[in-house]
Amino acid sequence: MLLVTGGAGFIGSNVVAALNDAGRDVVVCDVLGHDGKWRNLAKRRLADFVPPSELMDWLKGRRLEAVVHLGAISETTATDGDLVIETNFRLSMRLLDWCTANATPLIYASSAATYGDGEQGFGDDQSMDALKRLRPMNLYGWSKHLFDMAVAERSARGERLPPQWAGLKFFNVFGPNEYHKGTMMSVLARRFDDIKAGRPVQLFKSHREGIADGDQRRDFIYVDDVVRVTMWLLSTPDVSGIFNVGTGTARSFRDLMLSAYAALGITPNIQYIDMPEQIRGSYQYFTQSEVDRLLNAGYNGGFTALEDAVETYVKIFLDRPDRFR
């Protein structure tokens, strides 16, 4: 039996689907709330569903094959520091201690938000010297960074850890079951209905010399690739460490939108608007993961090209009455 925290969320529900397809028994720990997250699990089989407030009691006396810890407050705009630290850091520490004491593999979600403005690059060096140089720009990224440092420091000191541990620094993940995320959805999911209806899609103008409007770039990775990395780790227990999970290729927001228009066979209709003053100073114009450590660890599942990923997402999910996996 495996535990997936955040299993009703975006990435978590896709991992649960893959585990179901592999015939594995899955327990989900999450909060469903009132935003329709339950639909992410409506097609799944669960051995149990545990609220986060009851998790540590539920774990007493249990034996698990592995813990996939994806649960977190993931809004980059979150401002309740105490709640974020309790949810993203302290609960993660309790799970780390439980997995260590019970010799249970722990695969957990970190984030590319730990890299901050990218001034230090996007290399997934897990040495303490490298980690200490990172400066996350928001509360969410900082909370994830704190946990990365706690695990990496134990590893550097040779202290006890789970038999396998892996922190995954997800870059810009998009795909089915992200619809409950509101403004945190991918821009493709947020703008798809506009594209379909023929309304103009608005992208930010560039306010940086040498970069064209709409040419701000991200490492967009389809959720199926993220799931494939996770499943590979579950089947490769001798691999531990902190790894970037991105494609290694930055693409523009314009490319993303043009791929959606192409998938639908619609003439592009893109408008460029001024970026709000309040975010211009902190806006990232470029993110691109370095994936050599993951590849050198033995991962050979590949990554889906942006155009192919968008076409799959559009034709199999977004452009159908039932958009859920």
Side-chain angles (χ1 to χ4, degrees):
M1 190 160 62
L2 294 100
L3 171 67
V4 180
T5 74
F10 167 34
I11 296 174
S13 62
N14 281 279
V15 170
V16 170
L19 291 170
N20 267 186
D21 290 345
R24 313 287 277 277
D25 289 328
V26 184
V27 175
V28 165
C29 172
D30 210 330
V31 176
L32 291 178
H34 302 280
D35 54 10
K37 274 171 66 176
W38 70 272
R39 296 185 185 279
N40 289 344
L41 294 174
K43 302 172 186 176
R44 303 295 137 227
R45 304 181 312 278
L46 303 180
D48 202 351
F49 189 99
V50 185
S53 60
E54 300 176 18
L55 179 59
M56 299 316 297
D57 283 339
W58 182 89
L59 284 169
K60 291 176 181 176
R62 301 271 180 180
R63 300 297 300 174
L64 296 173
E65 185 178 343
V67 173
V68 182
H69 179 38
L70 306 175
I73 294 173
S74 59
E75 289 82 2
T76 56
T77 54
T79 58
D80 188 335
D82 296 309
L83 182 61
V84 169
I85 286 298
E86 176 60 32
T87 304
N88 294 4
F89 178 66
R90 296 196 67 226
L91 178 59
S92 298
M93 292 297 293
R94 288 192 286 270
L95 273 176
L96 174 65
D97 290 340
W98 186 91
C99 287
T100 300
N102 291 275
T104 303
L106 172 66
I107 297 169
Y108 72 90
S110 181
S111 172
T114 58
Y115 291 118
D117 63 6
E119 185 177 332
Q120 299 295 326
F122 300 97
D124 48 3
D125 184 345
Q126 68 186 47
S127 70
M128 290 307 298
D129 283 345
L131 290 174
K132 286 177 181 177
R133 288 195 294 269
L134 300 183
R135 293 291 182 268
M137 297 171 68
N138 53 57
L139 181 58
Y140 163 69
W142 176 63
S143 69
K144 289 293 187 180
H145 183 53
L146 280 181
F147 187 61
D148 283 343
M149 288 198 295
V151 179
E153 187 160 32
R154 290 189 187 187
S155 177
R157 290 178 175 175
E159 297 178 10
R160 281 188 68 205
L161 282 168
Q164 179 188 24
W165 62 272
L168 306 182
K169 293 199 175 193
F170 298 134
F171 277 68
N172 286 69
V173 188
F174 69 100
N177 293 12
E178 61 174 317
Y179 321 118
H180 65 283
K181 292 172 64 69
T183 58
M184 292 292 109
M185 277 193 295
S186 69
V187 65
L188 174 55
R190 291 202 312 272
R191 300 292 180 247
F192 179 77
D193 289 339
D194 290 333
I195 295 173
K196 182 74 174 175
R199 294 187 291 268
V201 168
Q202 295 181 334
L203 296 178
F204 285 144
K205 291 180 180 178
S206 171
H207 296 272
R208 184 171 294 181
E209 188 175 348
I211 297 177
D213 294 342
D215 200 36
Q216 302 92 334
R217 294 176 178 247
R218 297 287 183 273
D219 192 332
F220 298 108
I221 181 168
Y222 194 48
V223 71
D224 288 12
D225 294 346
V226 169
V227 171
R228 197 154 45 243
V229 171
T230 305
M231 296 295 285
W232 174 75
L233 282 165
L234 288 171
S235 66
T236 316
D238 59 329
V239 173
S240 292
I242 295 174
F243 301 100
N244 283 336
V245 180
T247 66
T249 302
R251 298 293 300 275
S252 71
F253 285 99
R254 184 176 60 249
D255 289 341
L256 182 71
M257 293 295 100
L258 290 177
S259 297
Y261 281 110
L264 288 168
I266 295 175
T267 301
N269 183 8
I270 299 174
Q271 293 180 349
Y272 298 101
I273 61 172
D274 286 330
M275 188 181 297
E277 290 278 359
Q278 60 267 32
I279 68 170
R280 287 186 196 179
S282 60
Y283 187 82
Q284 284 183 296
Y285 274 74
F286 182 86
T287 65
Q288 180 173 281
S289 65
E290 297 178 16
V291 294
D292 289 351
R293 291 194 68 248
L294 183 64
L295 301 180
N296 291 337
Y299 180 71
N300 61 1
F303 302 104
T304 310
L306 180 68
E307 289 78 6
D308 295 334
V310 170
E311 183 176 20
T312 298
Y313 189 17
V314 167
K315 291 185 175 179
I316 296 179
F317 297 101
L318 290 176
D319 199 29
R320 294 194 176 181
D322 181 1
R323 294 180 171 182
F324 292 88
R325 166 159 279 153

